[in-house]
Amino acid sequence: MMLTPIGSKMSVRKGSLCPNVPEQICHVEIINNPFSRRGMLFRCNIETVSKQLKPGYYKSRVFSPSTGLICIYYLCLQIVPRVVLEGWPLDNMLVETREKLQAIQLISSECRKRGYDGIVFEAWSLWSAYGTLQNSKLRQKALNFVQELGSSLHNIVLPRQTRNMQLIFVIPPVSRQAQELRDFTAADMAYLKDAVDAYSLMTYDFSNSYNPGPTAPLSWMRTCIQSVISLIGGNDNPIADNVLKLGPVSNQARHQGSLGRKMDNNMSKILVGINFYGNDFVLPQGGGPILGHEYLSLLSSYKPKLSWDGFNDEHYFDYTVAQELHRVFYPSLKSLSLRLEEAKSCGAGVSIWEIGQGLEYFFDLL
């Protein structure tokens, strides 16, 4: 399980009692680390966040309802900063050998210096936006960059443990239509199999202010998970007509011969994205994300009636202010339970975006 803390609302502190941190958590991702071509912005940001959260053992206090006792767990959390490529032109860093090596060396050396356990690397969406992935030669160079970055991190042995740094690679959700050139394919996954330790699958942000709706429809999330299963099986046609009908029956597929064993081994490398934030949309267009305290404030102010969207498996409510109709989608115990079960049923982990954005009792499910 990987958690992403939000800004100053980090609820994980070294040497402190953390009543809301379950023992299943193994990675904590720190954000706000854009990587410019010259690297100074990355270095500045990682200097800031490194003062907030450092590798080491953390103490978690968990109440056990069955025994009535408070159990103390010592967790060795793995701290992995998120590195996001920024700046134009990004292609230079892929084409120019000197710039590529400088970028990889800077990322690796900063992580070694601060004792981090690796990084979460986000680049695919930006490469897609800049047309890099649509060019076959540049696409291959992008894959080479990820491969060499993973190799560099794997060559760094962490002093406090008998293992090497890790590379977690962020991949986008499946396209809603036919396969597009920007999609992450089975060939891409096969090429990076030794370089990437885990994949963070972005199964949220389904809707936006221009197209209001649910944050992460369960059927769509299921499609995204099934697409990854297809990639692991070497199939580049993840959007089959029966994907939405499969549901969580992937357990059956996972245990059929060598393919089942292959999927068992590889699905554990997939971290399914779970959102702890919601959206307050203005209909028909407008609005944006909201956090837990904003959600509670709306409930207190407008006393709305919660409704269950059975098609998308999310709770929502409506309210009106200044003659504008708002529709709020926000996670609930029911919606989160369904999504966690979906990930569990196929042997995947989860990546939570972000702690500090949700409600305290969300941790009861983890």
Side-chain angles (χ1 to χ4, degrees):
M1 180 189 300
M2 182 171 70
L3 292 183
T4 303
I6 172 175
S8 61
K9 294 189 176 182
M10 296 197 179
S11 58
V12 184
R13 298 288 184 185
K14 188 173 183 178
S16 65
L17 288 176
C18 308
N20 297 315
V21 182
E23 61 176 326
Q24 295 93 329
I25 297 170
C26 59
H27 290 83
V28 174
E29 173 191 10
I30 52 180
I31 58 174
N32 298 325
N33 293 303
F35 182 82
S36 64
R37 286 179 61 202
R38 300 305 174 199
M40 294 307 297
L41 188 58
F42 168 74
R43 181 168 283 149
C44 175
N45 277 276
I46 204 168
E47 176 76 32
T48 301
V49 295
S50 68
K51 295 177 181 177
Q52 299 176 338
L53 195 61
K54 296 180 180 296
Y57 284 89
Y58 291 77
K59 189 184 296 184
S60 175
R61 184 172 57 185
V62 180
F63 175 73
S64 173
S66 59
T67 63
L69 301 175
I70 294 178
C71 304
I72 303 296
Y73 297 96
Y74 287 88
L75 313 177
C76 184
L77 300 180
Q78 300 174 38
I79 312 301
V80 283
R82 173 174 287 231
V83 178
V84 183
L85 288 189
E86 284 190 353
W88 177 265
L90 290 175
D91 295 350
N92 284 20
M93 196 166 62
L94 303 178
V95 176
E96 299 294 335
T97 301
R98 182 178 178 182
E99 284 203 23
K100 178 181 67 174
L101 295 177
Q102 284 179 338
I104 293 174
Q105 182 180 16
L106 175 60
I107 295 172
S108 301
S109 62
E110 286 297 312
C111 290
R112 182 194 294 112
K113 175 183 177 182
R114 310 201 182 277
Y116 290 126
D117 297 87
I119 66 168
V120 177
F121 186 53
E122 183 173 352
W124 199 264
S125 58
L126 288 116
W127 284 334
S128 173
Y130 289 137
T132 301
L133 302 177
Q134 289 81 342
N135 182 308
S136 59
K137 292 183 178 179
L138 288 178
R139 185 189 189 100
Q140 185 58 50
K141 289 185 179 296
L143 291 170
N144 290 344
F145 183 92
V146 178
Q147 188 180 64
E148 292 179 40
L149 177 60
S151 177
S152 177
L153 293 172
H154 292 164
N155 286 332
I156 302 174
V157 179
L158 298 169
R160 67 185 184 280
Q161 299 182 26
T162 57
R163 58 178 177 75
N164 304 69
M165 287 190 182
Q166 302 172 72
L167 175 61
I168 300 173
F169 191 46
V170 179
I171 56 176
V174 64
S175 298
R176 301 187 195 180
Q177 305 299 326
Q179 186 180 19
E180 300 178 4
L181 290 173
R182 64 181 178 84
D183 287 343
F184 190 75
T185 68
D188 299 329
M189 179 172 283
Y191 190 80
L192 298 177
K193 65 182 179 65
D194 295 324
V196 174
D197 299 282
Y199 292 93
S200 179
L201 180 62
M202 298 178 66
T203 43
Y204 40 78
D205 285 346
F206 179 83
S207 303
N208 54 52
S209 60
Y210 298 101
N211 185 28
T215 307
L218 185 60
S219 60
W220 172 72
M221 177 179 286
R222 184 174 297 149
T223 300
C224 294
I225 294 174
Q226 294 291 345
S227 74
V228 173
I229 293 175
S230 297
L231 297 184
I232 292 173
N235 179 11
D236 267 339
N237 183 26
I239 307 185
D241 291 337
N242 63 343
V243 162
L244 292 180
K245 302 176 184 177
L246 290 176
V249 299
S250 49
N251 278 329
Q252 179 180 358
R254 286 171 52 228
H255 296 288
Q256 293 181 347
S258 60
L259 176 59
R261 289 190 294 273
K262 180 180 179 182
M263 286 167 34
D264 269 336
N265 294 334
N266 286 278
M267 281 307 295
S268 62
K269 296 174 63 174
I270 305 301
L271 303 174
V272 178
I274 304 289
N275 60 288
F276 270 16
Y277 67 91
N279 283 293
D280 180 0
F281 290 125
V282 180
L283 302 180
Q285 286 189 348
I290 60 169
L291 309 184
H293 69 278
E294 296 169 309
Y295 172 74
L296 293 177
S297 178
L298 290 174
L299 291 178
S300 176
S301 299
Y302 297 99
K303 306 294 190 297
K305 178 182 178 181
L306 280 173
S307 299
W308 177 252
D309 180 349
F311 184 78
N312 296 301
D313 296 286
E314 290 190 21
H315 274 110
Y316 72 93
F317 66 79
D318 295 336
Y319 73 96
T320 302
V321 58
Q323 297 184 333
E324 289 184 330
L325 176 61
H326 288 241
R327 177 158 294 177
V328 175
F329 289 88
Y330 198 80
S332 62
L333 288 180
K334 181 177 181 179
S335 68
L336 289 174
S337 295
L338 291 172
R339 284 151 181 78
L340 290 171
E341 180 58 34
E342 195 70 36
K344 181 181 178 182
S345 70
C346 63
V350 296
S351 173
I352 296 174
W353 189 278
E354 304 170 350
I355 58 172
Q357 291 187 345
L359 304 177
E360 291 293 335
Y361 65 81
F362 285 176
F363 285 100
D364 294 344
L365 295 172
L366 302 180

